[in-house]
Amino acid sequence: MRQPILSICLPSINYEELVQQLKAIVSLSENCRSEIEILIQFDLGNDIQFTKLSKLAEAANALLLPPANNGVDIAFEALLSNAKGHYVWIVSSNDHLDPGCLDKIIPLLRQKKHALFYLTSRTQNKETTSTSISNDIVLSGLGQVLNMIGTRMSLITSCIFYNTRDPHVAQDYKTFIGTAIAWMTYPCSQLGGKGTAYIFATPCFTNIVHELEEHEVTFYNGYDTFGIAIWDLISVYISPKSDPDAKAFLIKNFGHIWRGGIIDWTRREMPRPIYDIWRLRRYRISGEYWPALFLTAMPKPFVQMALKLYKTMVRNHYS
């Protein structure tokens, strides 16, 4: 069998959303089904749901992986390990893909020229998009990409990245297991090596805000602090001396975290000062508020309280 151009990976813990997304992708891929493969990772479901999903996956000629039930980064690792395509696209089960998006994407992937394809999105309830460019552009290096799209690169569904088989990257991935953005080692490693990124000017999907329930926080590795993880990850793949764009991005967005000593107390296994956690509640990253950062810094006893605040902030920001 010919190697597929694209592996579409569907991780989810929501059965209804996953079924709808699978059906949508099958419909969207009518013109290119021979060039893609679909992989599914369904966790935290029951036996009845898994049996039904097995039948749907078989009908869609999709690969359904055994449940891992051990966090989103482990689910991603299972999908990445089984993906055979030249490129990998991790698609959130609740984002709405635009009609014709695969017809636009696949011809560009066939050229195998770029390490990353960034898919511009629109936010639910808002007409504005995640980029403000009028035409598609190609950028070189991690610094340029970060300065253009910032931390939006970490949004699930936004990135299609080259499926590198570099063992060093695989090892780096394992280093970041336990963080919600471990999967970003793949695009960051290639862009750090001066790979190019293709940025779509027009939206390809609608990013739907999902309000986390208490049991989901643990599954999504909610206690990992986003800013610290991405600081470490980016630092692995860029040299500030040779990439001034990346240096500027790090200092602008995360310099005060470093200077404030939050990295130190987060890395130490000790109680986290509530005043430091509270100070993160409206942390601003790349022009967007990330209220989830407040939630992700919370120790377990405060999760229920944090969820109420998190949902309030999400509603205020996206309404």
Side-chain angles (χ1 to χ4, degrees):
M1 179 179 175
R2 186 175 61 175
Q3 182 180 4
I5 293 293
L6 177 64
S7 296
I8 300 179
C9 299
L10 301 177
S12 185
I13 58 175
N14 186 305
Y15 175 76
E16 288 77 16
E17 287 180 356
L18 179 57
V19 168
Q20 291 303 312
Q21 191 67 289
L22 176 61
K23 291 179 179 179
I25 288 173
V26 169
S27 176
L28 289 170
S29 61
E30 285 182 352
N31 297 329
C32 56
R33 191 64 184 87
S34 63
E35 296 182 277
I36 71 167
E37 65 171 356
I38 303 172
L39 299 91
I40 303 168
Q41 180 74 50
F42 177 52
D43 287 338
L44 303 189
N46 57 48
D47 291 342
I48 295 175
Q49 290 173 330
F50 201 83
T51 298
K52 290 180 178 178
L53 188 58
S54 297
K55 294 178 181 178
L56 291 172
E58 184 178 3
N61 195 26
L63 175 62
L64 176 61
L65 302 178
N69 300 327
N70 198 26
V72 67
D73 53 317
I74 302 299
F76 286 3
E77 182 181 24
L79 290 163
L80 291 167
S81 298
N82 285 276
K84 297 181 175 62
H86 288 285
Y87 287 89
V88 176
W89 188 15
I90 301 175
V91 178
S92 175
S93 62
N94 67 338
D95 286 338
H96 294 170
L97 305 181
D98 284 6
C101 64
L102 279 172
D103 294 334
K104 178 168 63 174
I105 292 166
I106 291 294
L108 291 166
L109 298 185
R110 290 189 192 117
Q111 300 173 21
K112 302 173 189 174
K113 288 176 60 177
H114 306 292
L116 174 73
F117 289 83
Y118 175 78
L119 309 181
T120 298
S121 61
R122 62 182 71 79
T123 302
Q124 186 183 19
N125 302 328
K126 284 196 173 183
E127 296 181 358
T128 54
T129 64
S130 56
T131 62
S132 56
I133 54 176
S134 56
N135 297 296
D136 296 358
I137 60 172
V138 175
L139 301 175
S140 178
L142 183 56
Q144 285 190 17
V145 174
L146 289 172
N147 272 280
M148 169 61 69
I149 59 178
T151 50
R152 300 184 191 95
M153 182 172 151
S154 67
L155 293 177
I156 304 304
T157 311
S158 287
C159 292
I160 298 176
F161 54 92
Y162 183 74
N163 190 8
T164 179
R165 304 294 181 181
D166 188 335
H168 295 97
V169 176
Q171 185 58 45
D172 288 342
Y173 182 90
K174 294 184 183 301
T175 300
F176 287 96
I177 284 290
T179 74
I181 59 168
W183 68 274
M184 285 187 68
T185 55
Y186 286 80
C188 283
S189 67
Q190 296 164 78
L191 293 174
K194 302 303 180 184
T196 56
Y198 189 100
I199 315 294
F200 286 91
T202 55
C204 297
F205 71 98
T206 301
N207 179 39
I208 305 298
V209 176
H210 178 76
E211 292 191 350
L212 298 178
E213 300 299 331
E214 190 166 352
H215 74 286
E216 293 178 297
V217 174
T218 303
F219 182 80
Y220 284 118
N221 301 295
Y223 312 118
D224 154 49
T225 304
F226 177 88
I228 295 166
I230 200 168
W231 174 291
D232 286 345
L233 180 59
I234 293 170
S235 296
V236 167
Y237 292 112
I238 62 100
S239 169
K241 291 182 179 179
S242 61
D243 193 339
D245 290 325
K247 179 182 179 181
F249 173 83
L250 288 173
I251 292 175
K252 174 185 175 183
N253 292 292
F254 303 111
H256 60 294
I257 284 188
W258 183 270
R259 290 190 296 272
I262 297 173
I263 285 179
D264 293 335
W265 64 253
T266 302
R267 284 178 175 161
R268 292 196 302 266
E269 294 183 2
M270 60 184 295
R272 296 170 177 177
I274 188 67
Y275 58 84
D276 271 341
I277 295 170
W278 187 253
R279 187 155 56 88
L280 293 173
R281 71 191 187 283
R282 292 284 278 180
Y283 179 51
R284 192 173 177 82
I285 299 176
S286 290
E288 289 189 344
Y289 283 112
W290 281 78
L293 189 60
F294 172 70
L295 173 64
T296 60
M298 295 300 287
K300 292 183 181 179
F302 295 105
V303 167
Q304 193 168 14
M305 177 185 74
L307 278 169
K308 293 178 182 178
L309 293 168
Y310 169 76
K311 290 181 178 181
T312 299
M313 286 186 277
V314 168
R315 289 193 188 102
N316 290 342
H317 182 54
Y318 289 107
S319 60

